[in-house]
Amino acid sequence: MNSYELLYIIDNSLTDEAKEAIVNKVNAVVTDNGGTVDNVDKWGAKKLAYPINYKSEGYYVLVNFTSEATLPQEVERVLNITDGVMRHLVTVK
């Protein structure tokens, strides 16, 4: 089992319920595939360093999780096809 850190940015123009649904979806992908979510830290709305799709703010979420080495690929696949996720990055701790 490896420890991973996932940082993703959600479109800030979404409703709070939609943002929470995306956070729950990502956590469910980790737990449904045998991983454990250690910590979810919602940083909230922050100004982006550069505009992404003409938007200057994003909602940042940091997730620490433990899983097998194949799970980060599945998490990235789900984040790539999820509407509302602007950017994401998974790193090994």
Side-chain angles (χ1 to χ4, degrees), residues 24-50:
N24 292 336
K25 179 179 181 179
V26 172
N27 293 342
V29 169
V30 172
T31 56
D32 292 347
N33 290 298
T36 58
V37 176
D38 302 327
N39 185 24
V40 177
D41 190 10
K42 298 173 188 168
W43 292 354
K46 302 232 181 253
K47 186 168 177 11
L48 300 172
Y50 55 89

Side-chain angles (χ1 to χ4, degrees), residues 1 15-18 22 36 38 44 46-49 53 65 69 72 78-79 83 85 89:
M1 298 289 262
T15 64
D16 290 338
E17 293 82 20
I22 291 173
T36 58
D38 302 327
K46 302 232 181 253
K47 186 168 177 11
L48 300 172
N53 297 332
F65 66 96
V78 170
L79 287 170
D83 291 335
V85 175
L89 179 69

Side-chain angles (χ1 to χ4, degrees), residues 9 12 44-51 55-60:
I9 306 170
N12 199 37
K46 302 232 181 253
K47 186 168 177 11
L48 300 172
Y50 55 89
K55 301 188 192 265
S56 60
E57 282 192 348
Y59 187 83
Y60 284 72

Side-chain angles (χ1 to χ4, degrees), residues 5 23 27 29 40 49-51 57 66 68 81 87 90 93:
E5 187 172 81
V23 171
N27 293 342
V29 169
V40 177
Y50 55 89
E57 282 192 348
T66 306
E68 295 296 329
I81 62 174
R87 292 286 191 270
V90 179
K93 285 179 87 175

